[in-house]
Amino acid sequence: MMELLRRRWQRHARIFLSGFLMGTADVIPGVSGGTVAFVLGIYEELIDAIRAVIPFLGRLVSRRWKEAFAEFPWAFLLMLGAGIGTAVLSLSRLLHWALESYPTYVYALFFGLIAASVYVVRARVRRWTPSTLMVAGLFAVGAYLLVGLRPVRTPEALWFIFLSGAVAICAMILPGISGAFILVLLGKYHYLLGALVRLDLTTILVFIAGAAVGIVSFANVLRWLLDHYHDLTIAALTGFMVGALRELWPWKPGRIVNGVGIDADGALPAVLTVEVAIALGLMALGFGAVIAIERTAERRQEKAEHTLIR
């Protein structure tokens, strides 16, 4: 009995730690919580748990409560959610301060992270063809134009917070795509970090509600798209990320601190200063971090496949 309890608590602790690492990844644009879940070996379990939500709700509605809780992985999701929440609350204050004080450095790091994610995600296309290249190009151009047309400030109304949660959470189940990156594109990353720092419960709960609706409804749609149009779906995501890099370019007007100059178009630093060198170093650091995580995931997958063959 004691051995059973010990193993159970060890599993709970491992799932909590996995959630903490996923939450750490999800709060940083460019690092995918889905990739971290894959590295930690819980990705398939996570997808199965998400897909079990709708059957669980169906049993609750039909008052089969005992059966509902017996077949639903509530312990897994509870510990994973607790770990993710702990990480998000722990890091939000630090990132909020960094964005306020050193936006150029933060966005340089984010740019490197997303650029590496583009490199990683494009490799998931099994075979590049003229059609996949065309889809990637169209989505890249569309995303680039969309980011340019997006207003400087997006709505802070609760309906938009709900929508942001529904869209951003979907990235959690896509290895290589970051939910925080989606929030940056929606103009709500900094705002939601502030809500976490202030403990604005209304905003936080509405965002969580949107996330819950989004992840449950999107899981099956994503599975269908990947099953029927895998390469086109990944190509579209790759193109979207390439075009959206425009939003993360650190040397944009209004994003300059510490005296770093920009040219008339706001595209490049006018001179190579210490601050510019630090920003470029952070870009390289972000790129390298994502590549390292992905290489670890690939080695884990190869090891698992080799074990199955044997």
Side-chain angles (χ1 to χ4, degrees):
M1 184 65 178
M2 293 298 295
E3 179 65 17
L4 180 62
L5 288 174
R6 185 181 67 82
R7 290 183 180 179
R8 184 174 297 175
W9 280 109
Q10 283 181 339
R11 171 174 164 76
H12 289 338
R14 184 176 69 85
I15 298 302
F16 178 88
L17 180 60
S18 299
F20 187 89
L21 294 174
M22 286 179 62
T24 301
D26 279 321
V27 81
I28 302 173
V31 184
S32 167
T35 297
V36 172
F38 193 84
V39 170
L40 296 173
I42 63 169
Y43 185 72
E44 294 295 333
E45 188 174 3
L46 173 62
I47 296 298
D48 290 340
I50 292 169
R51 298 180 71 180
V53 171
I54 293 179
F56 170 73
L57 295 176
R59 294 186 183 100
L60 287 182
V61 170
S62 60
R63 298 184 180 182
R64 291 180 291 161
W65 297 320
K66 185 176 180 179
E67 180 184 348
F69 283 100
E71 298 184 14
F72 185 67
W74 61 269
F76 170 81
L77 289 175
L78 180 63
M79 297 308 298
L80 192 73
I84 291 173
T86 301
V88 170
L89 291 173
S90 301
L91 292 174
S92 58
R93 189 175 297 275
L94 173 63
L95 283 169
H96 188 264
W97 168 82
L99 278 169
E100 290 283 352
S101 303
Y102 303 101
T104 298
Y105 295 159
V106 174
Y107 277 95
L109 176 63
F110 288 176
F111 188 92
L113 293 167
I114 297 299
S117 295
V118 172
Y119 176 80
V120 167
V121 172
R122 66 102 180 99
R124 299 184 189 279
V125 176
R126 294 162 184 161
R127 182 168 173 264
W128 284 95
T129 63
S131 59
T132 53
L133 288 171
M134 182 178 68
V135 167
L138 288 174
F139 272 80
V141 172
Y144 184 88
L145 295 175
L146 184 64
V147 167
L149 292 173
R150 199 206 72 196
V152 176
R153 292 181 63 87
T154 51
E156 296 178 357
L158 293 181
W159 67 266
F160 194 80
I161 301 301
F162 182 92
L163 178 64
S164 299
V167 175
I169 198 64
C170 297
M172 179 183 290
I173 56 177
L174 286 169
I177 310 293
S178 167
F181 176 50
I182 302 300
L183 290 178
V184 170
L185 297 182
L186 293 172
K188 283 291 159 281
Y189 181 74
H190 197 181
Y191 177 78
L192 285 166
L193 283 180
L196 288 168
V197 171
R198 299 189 307 271
L199 289 180
D200 182 349
L201 293 180
T202 300
T203 299
I204 294 170
L205 290 175
V206 169
F207 179 82
I208 291 174
V213 171
I215 198 168
V216 171
S217 58
F218 186 72
N220 291 320
V221 174
L222 173 64
R223 174 52 57 195
W224 186 87
L225 286 172
L226 291 175
D227 286 344
H228 293 82
Y229 303 101
H230 179 275
D231 283 3
L232 289 176
T233 301
I234 301 300
L237 290 171
T238 303
F240 177 81
M241 293 171 70
V242 170
L245 279 171
R246 176 181 184 180
E247 175 64 19
L248 293 175
W249 185 245
W251 294 287
K252 291 178 66 175
R255 204 176 271 170
I256 307 305
V257 294
N258 298 330
V260 180
I262 56 175
D263 65 11
D265 296 326
L268 293 170
V271 293
L272 181 62
T273 64
V274 173
E275 289 79 8
V276 173
I278 292 173
L280 292 174
L282 288 170
M283 275 190 190
L285 176 65
F287 192 95
V290 172
I291 296 301
I293 292 172
E294 287 294 331
R295 291 289 180 267
T296 303
E298 288 173 3
R299 285 194 294 269
R300 186 182 184 91
Q301 184 179 24
E302 289 172 0
K303 183 178 179 181
E305 290 174 351
H306 181 69
T307 302
L308 286 174
I309 291 173
R310 293 180 62 186

